[in-house]
Amino acid sequence: MTFRAILANRATDGAVTTSVEVLDERILNDGDVKVAVEWSNVNYKDAVAILTPRIIKSFPLVPGIDFAGTVASSRDGRFKVGDKVVATGWGLSGLLPVYRTRG
């Protein structure tokens, strides 16, 4: 599966650069719950992270700190396919159309 996403990288001069890139599932975190993201947004924290290079700890990064969606696959007994879920927190990469996390 490929998809387009905003990707933040650090340039050789230390500045944070952003671009829209075609990515695939290799960008996803390891995890046992995969969520088809249906709703997310860009908020001020994403802008602050992109404009303040010292905030982002690892690159590349897809911004986004929250999302809502439907569980697409799960190896965690607490979540089953079709469950509606919401997640919030730092470093989620919520602007991806699919997200994988540890339950």
Side-chain angles (χ1 to χ4, degrees):
M1 169 186 198
T2 60
F3 42 83
R4 292 168 35 103
I6 298 170
L7 189 65
N9 272 301
R10 185 175 302 280
T12 55
D13 66 358
V16 176
T17 62
T18 57
S19 57
V20 176
E21 302 287 337
V22 175
L23 304 172
D24 61 38
E25 291 193 22
R26 291 177 293 178
I27 194 83
L28 301 178
N29 295 326
D30 290 332
D32 47 355
V33 179
K34 185 176 175 183
V35 177
V37 176
E38 297 162 14
W39 298 96
S40 188
N41 65 350
V42 176
N43 66 35
Y44 79 94
K45 292 178 184 176
D46 299 308
V48 168
I50 290 168
L51 296 173
T52 310
R54 67 184 178 277
I55 290 177
I56 300 175
K57 301 296 182 205
S58 64
F59 292 90
L61 173 77
V62 176
I65 63 165
D66 51 21
F67 64 80
T70 303
V71 174
S73 65
S74 176
R75 295 186 311 264
D76 184 311
R78 297 172 295 173
F79 302 95
K80 65 181 186 308
V81 172
D83 282 352
K84 298 291 186 183
V85 294
V86 62
T88 63
W90 176 83
L92 283 180
S93 299
L95 294 178
L96 292 171
V98 63
Y99 188 78
R100 191 167 38 228
T101 187
R102 296 176 200 262

